Amino acid sequence: MRNIVLVHGAFADGSSWSDIIPLLQARGFQVTAVQNPLTSLTDDVAATCRVLARQKGGVLLVGHSWAGAVVTEAGSAENVKGIVYLSALVPDAGESVSELLQKRNSPMEGLVPDHDGLVWLSDPKAYAHVMASDVSADRVAMLAAVQLPMAANAFNDKVSTAAWLTKKSWYLVTEGDNALPTAVQQWLAKHIGATTKTIRSSHMSMISHPSAVADFIADAARSTPE
């Protein structure tokens, strides 16, 4: 599988893949990072599908965190041959992220939207604690500066189709993750029947452990027929 499409999660943008992209490109992969608006599940799926439509040949679709819901929906595209989940939320068909977390006894807390209905994580100290406890302070400051706010209502949007039911999947579990409990990740990986690997990392594993993440994605790509 030569084509890899990377989809970022909440409180991030496409630059969160900046350490992963050159590692994959050096191995001969064609890599594209989606820029999600984070305004709704529908909008993020549309942004991802536009990128998928531009690919020539089969695609390995990769989603981090919130983007697990996005790639679960967008992954139904015919040219998607496999899906990689990184510390990701993976709803069932007809289920929202909020409902998924409620069912796993891990409801979202502390996400207070502003008057526009957006949730921000722009304070570097808060960002470090929730997302990137093993990332340098300078890098965290940069991540917090470029983070995109998340529309709070998006967490209530329901996935209509669960692509993992018909597409081969992989799941990278991050142990010690403050954003999505490791136990929830482990349950999700087992629930979808994913090929699973566990590393010790914060939620932003693609930044704190880029080589391990790139290896995981590359291994998935190599085992996915185009």
Side-chain angles (χ1 to χ4, degrees):
M1 183 61 58
R2 181 171 177 268
N3 298 312
I4 298 176
V5 171
L6 306 171
V7 190
H8 69 82
F11 315 119
D13 69 357
S15 68
S16 61
W17 302 106
S18 59
D19 294 325
I20 299 294
I21 292 171
L23 293 176
L24 293 174
Q25 289 175 332
R27 302 181 195 196
F29 294 108
Q30 173 67 37
V31 186
T32 309
V34 174
Q35 294 286 0
N36 279 330
L38 302 181
T39 45
S40 71
L41 178 61
T42 298
D43 291 345
D44 287 359
V45 169
T48 300
C49 287
R50 284 193 291 270
V51 172
L52 290 174
R54 293 175 55 82
Q55 307 303 305
K56 296 179 180 179
V59 178
L60 182 71
L61 186 58
V62 182
H64 173 248
S65 190
W66 153 256
V70 179
V71 301
T72 292
E73 182 82 30
S76 296
E78 186 176 351
N79 62 341
V80 173
K81 306 303 181 182
I83 305 174
V84 175
Y85 294 96
L86 306 178
S87 311
L89 294 151
V90 191
D92 285 319
E95 184 178 54
S96 70
V97 164
S98 293
E99 290 169 336
L100 165 63
L101 291 173
Q102 287 285 351
K103 290 176 183 177
R104 302 318 307 163
N105 296 315
S106 185
M108 290 179 289
E109 297 176 346
L111 299 181
V112 181
D114 64 11
H115 64 279
D116 292 317
L118 301 174
V119 180
W120 299 76
L121 194 59
S122 54
D123 176 72
K125 289 184 178 179
Y127 199 102
H129 173 69
V130 175
M131 302 282 283
S133 59
D134 55 356
V135 176
S136 71
D138 287 346
R139 189 67 182 275
V140 167
M142 179 64 72
L143 292 170
V146 301
Q147 65 92 38
L148 284 170
M150 183 76 190
N153 284 338
F155 295 120
N156 297 319
D157 294 343
K158 296 179 186 292
V159 167
S160 63
T161 304
W164 52 264
L165 288 168
T166 57
K167 307 291 175 79
K168 189 174 181 180
S169 63
W170 293 258
Y171 198 112
L172 184 66
V173 174
T174 40
E175 191 174 23
D177 190 324
N178 292 331
L180 183 61
T182 301
V184 175
Q185 296 182 43
Q186 291 169 334
W187 184 89
L188 287 168
K190 183 177 181 180
H191 177 62
I192 67 175
T195 299
T196 307
K197 180 177 180 179
T198 301
I199 63 172
R200 181 77 183 176
S201 174
S202 70
H203 199 57
M204 299 299 284
S205 59
M206 72 281 286
I207 292 172
S208 58
H209 297 86
S211 293
V213 174
D215 286 347
F216 187 71
I217 295 171
D219 287 346
R222 292 192 191 101
S223 62
T224 303
E226 191 168 358

